[in-house]
């Protein structure tokens, strides 16, 4: 189908008003056409305004929803704190999280304690539950993980970090957890690093904990360099680039020390082992927000 | 409930859901279930079926929060798009109900748009009503029948005795026109 023919369908498609085979053709096209994706998104936004905003929704319906998600699995599994990074306590636990997100049986849901609230439907306090996978199952988990990471590769934001943490933790362990914990800490400062030029999407981040003088590097989206090259992080201090650290050829996570006067950062591609000063043009740059 | 949830942005709320916080899902329900149910009811003319669709939509949000892209629109529009898609699926699997609705829908569309009664944001409703009222009749009818009637553009074309291409382009043009008129609403709203 020509692009013009697809375009004619976009309005009807956004309103779910096309034939199944037309929907399939449009979806195939949308996968590679950001302009048409944006048009569909806009149509859907407009459509969402047309109905009524609705009043309160029945508690009975919420009770059914809560009932479904509270169903617990049987089986061994230590209680884990589901409140975030601490839930990623082990590779096997990670396998659980990924597999359940990939559509595993609903009764593998895990979660942390919840509190009933006056203004929301009453929630039952729920025991965290889990089920351990045999290590042999990790192959399937890794495949599922690759799918999830692939699906999310185009998204920017914390959800991607969460999956990136899962991915990296399978190989590197606790550094990823610490990086995620730091990124979710409201006291931390986040510096997004993007290619120079206006309006570029960030491809790496630094999460700064000024109190301790540490920064976590999160670079899961960077391409790997050749083995004799490395990424190096610099900061502009007094107008001169100062090396913050050598990151390696495929740095997903790293922990670095930062000084209080470091707020503008840059990344360049250097020979293995690093350089005294950048020898190649700036690949990525970013600054901490002014206080 | 943690106090920050009520003021959380869409992105943060969904992030919290992704971290398995049930109270975050409850907050999403509090904000949007009314609209979700309202749309499902309007498309399906069946309260029980509408509740089933709503249940599916929120369970899906719980099990696949990564599907929400804050860059593409609000959580409300995401949930309503899911709701609409699911409701139309249900609708299209029940042919006798469809025939009845065809009659009802044509009558409704011919009689003129009548905005729903209970709206939580009267200012927005007023602007939407005006924008819809300002559309050429053919565009408004096509959108109404497609979106609320759950009809495909081919069915709409057949119901109205218009060529399919005309209906397709009226839907697209009508939505674009509404977007122009409602940009201030879209810019101001959403979390």
């Amino acid at each position: 189908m020509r692009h013009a023919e697809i375009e004619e369908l976009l309005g009807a498609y956004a309103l779910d008003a096309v034939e199944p085979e037309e929907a399939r053709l449009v979806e195939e096209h949308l996968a590679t056409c950001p302009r048409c994706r944006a048009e569909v998104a806009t149509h859907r936004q407009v459509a969402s305004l047309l109905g009524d905003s609705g009043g309160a929704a029945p508690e009975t319906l919420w009770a059914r929803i809560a009932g479904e998600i509270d169903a617990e699995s049987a089986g061994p599994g230590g209680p884990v704190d589901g409140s975030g990074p601490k839930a990623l306590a082990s590779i096997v636990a990670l396998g659980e999280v990924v597999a359940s997100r990939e559509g595993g049986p609903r009764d593998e849901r895990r979660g942390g304690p919840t509190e009933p609230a006056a203004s929301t439907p009453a929630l039952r306090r729920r025991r965290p539950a889990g089920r351990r996978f045999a290590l042999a199952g990790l192959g399937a988990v890794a495949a599922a993980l690759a799918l999830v990471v692939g699906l999310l590769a185009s998204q920017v934001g914390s959800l991607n970090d969460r999956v990136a943490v899962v991915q990296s933790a399978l190989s590197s362990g606790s550094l990823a957890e610490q990086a995620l914990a730091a990124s979710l800490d409201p006291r931390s400062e986040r510096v997004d690093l993007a290619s120079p030029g206006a309006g570029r999407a960030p491809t790496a981040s630094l999460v700064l904990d000024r109190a301790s003088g540490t920064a976590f590097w999160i670079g899961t989206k960077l391409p790997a360099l050749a083995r004799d090259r490395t990424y190096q992080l610099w900061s502009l201090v007094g107008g001169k680039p100062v090396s913050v650290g050598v990151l390696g050829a495929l740095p997903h996570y790293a922990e670095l020390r930062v000084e209080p006067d470091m707020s503008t950062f840059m990344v360049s591609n250097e020979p293995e082992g690093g350089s005294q000063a950048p020898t190649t043009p700036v690949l990525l740059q970013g600054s901490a927000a002014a206080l | 409930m943690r106090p920050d949830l009520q003021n959380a942005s869409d992105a943060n709320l969904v992030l919290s859901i992704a971290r398995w916080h049930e109270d975050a899902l409850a907050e999403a329900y509090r904000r949007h279930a009314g609209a979700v149910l309202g749309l499902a009811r309007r498309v399906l003319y069946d309260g029980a079926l509408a509740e089933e669709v709503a249940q599916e939509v929120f369970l899906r949000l719980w099990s696949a929060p990564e599907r929400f892209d804050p860059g593409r629109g609000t959580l409300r529009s995401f949930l309503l798009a899911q709701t609409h898609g699911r409701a139309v699926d249900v609708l299209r699997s029940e042919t006798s109900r469809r025939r009845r609705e065809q009659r009802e829908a044509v009558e409704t569309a011919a009689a003129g748009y009548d905005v729903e009664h209970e709206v939580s944001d009267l200012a927005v409703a007023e602007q939407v009503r005006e924008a819809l009222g300002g559309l050429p009749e053919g565009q408004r009818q096509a959108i109404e029948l497609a979106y609320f009637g759950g009809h495909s553009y081919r069915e709409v074309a057949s119901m109205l005795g218009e060529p399919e291409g005309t209906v397709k382009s009226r839907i697209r043009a009508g939505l674009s026109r509404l977007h122009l008129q409602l940009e201030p609403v879209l810019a101001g709203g959403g979390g």
Side-chain angles (χ1 to χ4, degrees):
Chain A
M1 205 181 255
R2 289 174 298 117
H3 197 276
E5 288 176 297
I6 299 270
E7 279 181 5
E8 282 167 13
L9 284 168
L10 294 180
Y13 172 79
L15 301 188
D16 302 303
V18 296
E19 303 301 314
E21 58 272 19
E22 289 170 327
R24 198 183 50 78
L25 284 167
V26 172
E27 269 148 33
E28 256 174 36
H29 175 78
L30 290 183
T32 59
C33 183
R35 206 175 67 199
C36 288
R37 272 205 301 277
E39 182 177 331
V40 170
T42 304
H43 289 324
R44 283 183 171 152
Q45 276 277 98
V46 170
S48 73
L49 292 177
L50 299 180
D52 81 72
S53 321
E59 276 219 22
T60 50
L61 176 56
W62 170 254
R64 286 208 296 278
I65 292 169
E68 286 259 9
I69 68 181
D70 283 356
E72 290 181 326
S73 67
V80 286
D81 178 5
S83 61
K86 296 194 211 110
L88 308 177
S90 71
I91 290 176
V92 173
L94 280 176
E96 234 174 301
V97 170
V98 172
S100 68
R101 281 232 170 277
E102 278 300 291
R106 279 199 190 128
D107 58 6
E108 283 171 342
R109 297 274 172 270
R110 58 151 80 231
T114 59
E115 296 160 74
S119 54
T120 58
L123 301 170
R124 300 205 303 269
R125 187 163 280 275
R126 176 163 54 120
R127 270 199 82 243
R131 193 182 73 160
R132 295 202 178 275
F133 277 60
L135 283 176
L138 274 181
V141 167
L145 186 50
L147 246 189
V148 174
V149 171
L151 279 175
L152 296 181
S154 58
Q155 287 187 5
V156 179
S158 305
L159 285 175
N160 191 37
D161 289 343
R162 181 178 187 277
V163 175
V165 166
V166 174
Q167 174 195 27
S168 189
L170 278 177
S171 49
S172 64
S174 67
L175 187 57
E177 297 164 34
Q178 290 178 58
L180 179 63
S183 74
L184 296 174
D185 184 340
R187 294 164 304 177
S188 69
E189 214 183 329
R190 184 181 173 123
V191 179
D192 283 326
L193 301 164
S195 305
R200 301 298 198 98
T203 45
S205 306
L206 280 172
V207 179
L208 309 174
D209 177 8
R210 294 286 190 193
S212 63
T214 51
F216 285 98
W217 160 268
I218 299 175
T220 50
K221 286 188 262 197
L222 284 184
L225 297 177
R227 263 199 307 247
D228 62 342
R229 307 292 300 179
T230 183
Y231 286 106
Q232 189 163 1
L233 180 70
W234 310 87
S235 181
L236 264 183
V237 177
K240 291 210 247 172
V242 170
S243 176
V244 181
V246 168
L247 298 170
L250 180 55
H252 284 175
Y253 298 91
E255 189 178 358
L256 306 141
R257 296 214 54 79
V258 288
E259 305 301 320
D261 55 354
M262 291 179 174
S263 55
T264 298
F265 297 92
M266 301 160 309
V267 176
S268 68
N269 173 346
E270 302 298 321
E272 190 178 18
S275 307
Q276 301 276 39
T279 62
T280 64
V282 170
L283 283 176
L284 304 173
Q285 67 191 27
S287 293
L291 288 168
Chain B
M1 175 178 58
R2 285 165 292 139
D4 49 314
L5 272 186
Q6 272 198 314
N7 298 318
S9 67
D10 285 351
N12 283 335
L13 190 61
V14 175
L15 180 57
S16 200
I17 289 172
R19 286 188 264 146
W20 306 110
H21 290 134
E22 191 176 314
D23 53 355
L25 187 73
E27 172 61 15
Y29 182 89
R30 187 191 66 82
R31 293 183 191 184
H32 303 300
V36 164
L37 259 181
L39 179 62
R41 279 195 194 118
R42 191 146 168 202
V43 173
L44 292 168
Y45 284 86
D46 182 320
L49 274 180
E51 287 201 2
E52 274 183 41
V53 167
Q55 187 173 337
E56 282 178 43
V57 166
F58 281 97
L59 286 175
R60 204 165 185 226
L61 178 61
W62 177 254
S63 65
E66 67 277 0
R67 285 180 191 268
F68 172 64
D69 180 352
R72 289 252 164 264
T74 61
L75 181 58
R76 167 74 61 103
S77 72
F78 171 77
L79 292 174
L80 288 181
Q82 301 259 305
T83 302
H84 192 267
R86 190 71 197 104
V88 167
D89 282 347
V90 169
L91 205 54
R92 289 182 184 179
S93 65
E94 301 183 53
T95 40
S96 59
R97 184 187 303 272
R98 306 276 301 127
R99 279 196 293 268
R100 173 164 54 83
E101 282 186 10
Q102 274 189 2
R103 282 198 311 274
E104 285 171 349
V106 175
E107 288 156 21
T108 306
Y113 181 76
D114 188 31
V115 77
E116 293 289 339
H117 298 304
E118 267 132 40
V119 286
S120 50
D121 187 339
L122 293 174
V124 169
E126 189 51 42
Q127 283 177 279
V128 172
R129 191 211 304 260
E130 263 182 45
L132 268 167
L135 284 183
E137 181 79 353
Q139 293 178 6
R140 187 193 58 71
Q141 259 192 334
I143 289 174
E144 171 94 350
L145 288 171
Y147 190 61
F148 293 112
H151 299 288
S152 71
Y153 75 87
R154 291 185 188 176
E155 288 167 350
V156 173
S158 136
M159 285 157 67
L160 295 177
E162 298 276 6
E164 290 180 2
T166 302
V167 171
K168 270 191 285 187
S169 70
R170 280 181 183 168
I171 290 174
R172 194 171 175 224
L175 287 170
S176 292
R177 205 163 151 149
L178 285 172
H179 179 241
L180 274 175
Q181 288 224 259
L182 295 174
E183 267 215 88
V185 175
L186 286 167

